[in-house]
Amino acid sequence: MSALAQDTSIPSAKDLAPVPRERRRRWTYYTLPVYSSAFFLYLLIPITFMVVYSFNQSHSALPQVTSKWQGFTTQWYQQWNGVPDLTPAFFLSIKLALIATVISATLGTLLALALVRYRFRGKGATEQMMFTNIAAPEIVLGASLLGFFITLNLPRGFSTLLIAHVMFCVAYVTITVRARLSGFDPMLEQAAQDLGATPWVTFWKITLPLIFPGILAGALLAFALSIDDFVTSNFVAGSSVTFPLWVYGAVKVGIPPQVFVLGTAIFSAGLVLAVLALVFQGRAKKARPEPEEG
Amino acid sequence: MTEIDVRLERVSKFFGDVPAVDDLSLDIAEGEFFSLLGPSGCGKTTTLRMIGGFEDPSLGTVYLGGRDVTDLPPYRRDVNTVFQSYALFPHLDVFENVAFGLRRKKVGGKDIGQRVRDAMSLVDLEGFEKRKPSQMSGGQQQRVALARALVNRPKVLLLDEPLGALDLKLRKQMQLELKRIQEEVGITFIYVTHDQEEAMTMSDRLAVMRHGQIEQIGAPELVYESPATEFVAGFLGASNLLDGELVRNQSDVATVRLSTGQDIHFPASKVPSDIDTLVKVGVRPEKISIEVDEGEPPAGANWVSGLLRIATYIGVSHQYKVEGPGGTELTVYVQNLGAEEAPAPGRKVRLTWRPEHTFIVKPSAALSPEEEEE
Ligand SMILES: Nc1ncnc2c1ncn2[C@@H]1O[C@H](COP(=O)(O)OP(=O)(O)OP(=O)(O)O)[C@@H](O)[C@H]1O
Ligand SMILES: [Mg+2]
């Protein structure tokens, strides 16, 4: 500044270095970061607790999780299948979630296609049903399903579990796929047919690839819903025991650390999938930037 | 005329009770550049979509190359379409977009590469094969859409306002390019537009449509010089129309008596066969010469006198608005040759034109506000 003051000629604007300005920060500047951090903490604390305590030592004869830190160990990861009934329950849940996901993704996609493309009798009712399905308390759905199965005289077990899970997953898939479809230009399908593609080929080459991100998102949601479902499963499981059911049963006697190990495994798998989906979408977006102006 | 390539025989299409296309018949010859022209909502797109197979006619028959294709789905018709929105497949790159039709026909891999490259060079887009459609400008996308259709060497190419989304300069450039490509490949083009200038510059023949029907069909010069109806006269360029009564007297000269009692003469060959006595006579603004109303009117020419209201200097021309017989507003364009002095507003002027530049039309029902906008 002093050098400038001594200079008698008035410098033109472009010779001056831009004046650094003190940014005045009002307290409102911090509200969003503080709020966001608090929110993430709120979401993450239970998960962090689970992950950290899956490495906790336990010295009792019947190992259980406690809130007291007793030293680091990877013992429970080595003995992850050490609890007799827990492992089958875990795999039952995985199998159930996978099959329910595939079925509900297929049915949900078809339903979304029908709802977006066609006008038919009962279309409004179908949409209502879908939202009712999501909004209705699970305990009501579970209880009424049980009544339904008993009336039909269906033996409770894996198949009733599967039916129940597909039922509450379909609506979620339909909604995500429908959102994707509503931005879909029907002219694209006509263009494909114009170029000689039969309706079948058009579906596989044009429609499916374009709505796939929606299907994928819906399927991930369905998997997540299915694998940790407790309420509905509790009603319709019969003698089958899923992972959440087993854990609930174990609460009274004490939860073995392996539950945290398996929980951490599910969480990590979910995390990896979510990151993959993000990368996948990011790449799709990069290949499709906004068209330039002009 | 050569082979008939596309024939519509008494085709109608109803949406509910409303006819979008109303008992329309049309023959288009092989290799022709044919335009469907008309105001918004007159049924151009619907007509095109019935040829492409996207819309089933409610009545009538569609022939392609002499074959009845009315019941064939789009993928079994030998026509391709360039959609107004281009409808390029966003998840495929340009090469795969263009190759899409060839792959459906199970053309061999080597041939596909060659034909796609040929099509790309036809539309001047070499080197863009790896791009995604969204990475291209509007004009480039338009050309991809064209290449994607042309690469299949269809019998007929349907184009629905393909230049609608482009700015004026690009539009003009693409018009020339389309015309060049059409002459190069020799495919029949059916071109939908509501831009009369575009239709006139590009087409071999054009049809002016209104309310789902064809008002007139013919070469651009014919339709422009001898419009058949008041609607066509007004839709295609500017025109001056005067009410009158047809007097049939001599064999080769017809006469219309204006409400002022003045006679307008023109060749009898220009009188449509199915015309009533109440008619309108017309003349295009650029066919008229204007001068101060004094002395004898020239013999053998048609003339009316009026009051000059507005004189506008447009650079290449002068434009005059004249209050003619019965208060009708008449427009005159005079090329700016810089020779004579322009008459001043407020003067009484005489408008003169030659009998053969006169046309006679059926009065049409008044235009709807929607059509006026065009
Ligand atoms: N799918 C449809 N359902 C109901 N009415 C329709 C449908 N398609 C077109 N129409 C009606 O048919 C008439 C003709 O439509 P069309 O799209 O053929 O007009 P156009 O000449 O192409 O107009 P523009 O220049 O605006 O594209 C219009 O009145 C339109 O509202
Ligand atoms: Mg249209």
Side-chain angles (χ1 to χ4, degrees):
Chain A
M1 287 309 266
S2 61
L4 270 179
Q6 283 159 12
D7 200 340
T8 46
S9 67
I10 300 165
S12 74
K14 68 175 177 206
D15 295 332
L16 285 169
V19 183
R21 277 181 170 276
E22 266 308 303
R23 207 141 157 210
R24 286 195 34 220
R25 287 182 174 167
R26 298 176 44 197
W27 64 272
T28 49
Y29 182 84
Y30 299 98
T31 44
L32 186 61
V34 168
Y35 168 74
S36 311
S37 317
F39 184 68
F40 277 114
L41 275 180
Y42 175 54
L43 287 181
L44 284 174
I45 282 173
I47 297 170
T48 317
F49 181 87
M50 172 187 80
V51 175
V52 169
Y53 277 78
S54 67
F55 295 101
N56 195 5
Q57 289 182 8
S58 174
H59 303 296
S60 57
L62 204 89
Q64 314 187 348
V65 291
T66 50
S67 57
K68 201 160 146 254
W69 184 254
Q70 293 176 311
F72 181 85
T73 178
T74 55
Q75 182 191 4
W76 313 122
Y77 280 82
Q78 286 152 21
Q79 302 169 7
W80 66 274
N81 56 357
V83 185
D85 294 331
L86 178 58
T87 314
F90 178 71
F91 282 117
L92 180 73
S93 269
I94 299 272
K95 181 175 141 194
L96 179 64
L98 281 177
I99 299 177
T101 299
V102 170
I103 296 178
S104 58
T106 310
L107 291 180
T109 302
L110 295 179
L111 182 57
L113 278 166
L115 285 176
V116 173
R117 292 295 164 77
Y118 303 103
R119 289 190 184 183
F120 50 90
R121 192 182 289 266
K123 177 176 169 166
T126 311
E127 285 184 14
Q128 281 305 313
M129 284 285 286
M130 235 168 54
F131 285 105
T132 314
N133 185 313
I134 289 174
E138 230 190 314
I139 196 145
V140 176
L141 289 180
S144 54
L145 261 179
L146 179 62
F148 180 63
F149 290 144
I150 289 173
T151 317
L152 287 185
N153 211 3
L154 266 181
R156 265 74 65 206
F158 185 78
S159 52
T160 48
L161 272 172
L162 185 61
I163 292 171
H165 282 218
V166 168
M167 181 213 67
F168 66 69
C169 288
V170 163
Y172 290 92
V173 177
T174 304
I175 284 167
T176 48
V177 174
R178 199 170 64 158
R180 181 87 193 171
L181 264 176
S182 62
F184 184 96
D185 180 5
M187 279 293 169
L188 293 178
E189 290 179 336
Q190 294 189 3
Q193 297 209 8
D194 184 69
L195 294 165
T198 58
W200 180 249
V201 171
T202 303
F203 179 76
W204 285 102
K205 295 278 177 191
I206 305 298
T207 317
L208 192 62
L210 285 173
I211 61 173
F212 188 71
I215 299 177
L216 189 68
L220 285 177
L221 200 57
F223 189 86
L225 285 171
S226 165
I227 200 152
D228 71 350
D229 178 73
F230 172 75
V231 179
T232 309
S233 304
N234 196 28
F235 278 101
V236 300
S239 57
S240 297
V241 182
T242 64
F243 181 62
L245 291 180
W246 192 93
V247 173
Y248 182 76
V251 166
K252 289 164 236 161
V253 279
I255 300 172
Q258 279 87 345
V259 168
F260 277 11
V261 169
L262 296 176
T264 304
I266 293 174
F267 171 70
S268 315
L271 201 62
V272 168
L273 279 179
V275 168
L276 278 182
L278 269 182
V279 170
F280 184 77
Q281 275 174 4
R283 232 194 283 130
K285 244 188 225 130
K286 218 176 281 164
R288 220 186 302 164
E290 292 302 305
E292 289 166 50
E293 286 297 310
Chain B
M1 224 175 265
T2 47
E3 293 273 290
I4 299 301
D5 215 353
V6 179
R7 160 169 285 172
L8 300 184
E9 214 172 76
R10 306 206 55 183
V11 167
S12 296
K13 175 71 189 179
F14 295 91
F15 291 110
D17 292 340
V18 193
V21 171
D22 189 2
D23 197 7
L24 181 144
S25 296
L26 184 63
D27 279 339
I28 297 169
E30 206 171 298
E32 200 173 11
F33 196 120
F34 189 92
S35 292
L36 287 171
L37 179 64
S40 187
C42 71
K44 307 179 294 286
T45 299
T46 309
T47 307
L48 206 68
R49 287 171 60 81
M50 286 192 289
I51 301 173
F54 300 110
E55 217 80 74
D56 289 330
S58 314
L59 296 167
T61 320
V62 179
Y63 296 94
L64 286 176
R67 183 159 155 250
D68 179 355
V69 297
T70 316
D71 297 322
L72 289 188
Y75 50 90
R76 294 189 48 208
R77 297 191 187 193
D78 197 8
V79 295
N80 286 116
T81 309
V82 178
F83 293 87
Q84 178 164 12
S85 56
Y86 311 146
L88 299 177
F89 307 130
H91 60 300
L92 301 178
D93 63 16
V94 169
F95 183 94
E96 284 306 322
N97 262 282
V98 177
F100 192 87
L102 298 176
R103 295 210 191 282
R104 302 287 83 72
K105 285 186 194 155
K106 305 270 184 287
V107 174
K110 268 222 190 67
D111 282 354
I112 287 185
Q114 189 54 47
R115 281 173 70 172
V116 171
R117 267 191 300 283
D118 289 350
M120 294 294 282
S121 77
L122 188 67
V123 298
D124 237 357
L125 276 182
E126 294 109 322
F128 282 85
E129 285 84 353
K130 287 279 151 298
R131 296 247 198 139
K132 285 282 170 68
S134 53
Q135 296 168 310
M136 308 181 85
S137 74
Q140 290 166 340
Q141 291 183 29
Q142 199 278 329
R143 284 182 285 172
V144 175
L146 192 61
R148 184 178 69 175
L150 283 173
V151 77
N152 305 294
R153 298 175 192 152
K155 249 197 184 50
V156 181
L157 189 67
L158 309 176
L159 303 104
D160 190 356
E161 305 205 27
L163 309 182
L166 306 183
D167 65 50
L168 192 66
K169 192 162 156 247
L170 199 53
R171 221 177 141 102
K172 295 269 180 238
Q173 188 185 329
M174 286 302 302
Q175 284 174 8
L176 295 177
E177 211 149 317
L178 269 178
K179 189 69 187 154
R180 167 184 70 80
I181 289 169
Q182 194 259 344
E183 275 159 13
E184 217 168 304
V185 297
I187 293 175
T188 310
F189 273 38
I190 305 182
Y191 192 92
V192 161
T193 178
H194 61 250
D195 178 342
Q196 43 116 352
E197 205 177 306
E198 191 168 287
M200 300 246 276
T201 50
M202 298 171 80
S203 336
D204 297 322
R205 281 196 310 150
L206 55 84
V208 180
M209 287 184 69
R210 186 191 193 198
H211 299 329
Q213 290 175 321
I214 291 180
E215 290 265 312
Q216 190 175 9
I217 194 164
E221 304 83 42
L222 178 85
V223 178
Y224 183 77
E225 303 293 347
S226 310
T229 65
E230 183 182 350
F231 174 76
V232 174
F235 191 75
L236 217 61
S239 61
N240 298 303
L241 293 169
L242 294 165
D243 289 309
E245 210 172 307
L246 181 63
V247 192
R248 289 175 205 273
N249 42 10
Q250 297 149 38
S251 55
D252 55 346
V253 179
T255 304
V256 165
R257 183 152 300 153
L258 301 182
S259 45
T260 54
Q262 202 173 355
D263 282 350
I264 302 288
H265 306 283
F266 50 92
S269 59
K270 293 194 101 170
V271 181
S273 51
D274 58 336
I275 203 156
D276 283 334
T277 51
L278 279 182
V279 297
K280 289 196 175 194
V281 281
V283 59
R284 298 287 183 188
E286 71 279 7
K287 302 281 166 43
I288 301 176
S289 59
I290 183 169
E291 63 221 340
V292 177
D293 193 11
E294 49 195 20
E296 274 300 299
N302 288 322
W303 63 273
V304 294
S305 46
L307 188 65
L308 179 56
R309 287 285 184 204
I310 306 169
T312 318
Y313 171 70
I314 311 189
V316 295
S317 66
H318 291 281
Q319 185 176 326
Y320 301 103
K321 296 276 185 203
V322 176
E323 192 182 313
T328 326
E329 187 188 76
L330 302 172
T331 308
V332 181
Y333 301 149
V334 178
Q335 205 185 342
N336 184 8
L337 299 171
E340 66 259 50
E341 213 171 296
R347 295 292 300 268
K348 209 157 177 273
V349 289
R350 183 163 61 215
L351 310 181
T352 319
W353 69 95
R354 292 162 51 169
E356 60 269 35
H357 288 153
T358 314
F359 54 80
I360 173 169
V361 295
K362 275 184 278 187
S364 298
L367 301 188
S368 64
E370 195 187 24
E371 289 171 329
E372 292 276 18
E373 264 170 41
E374 291 291 316

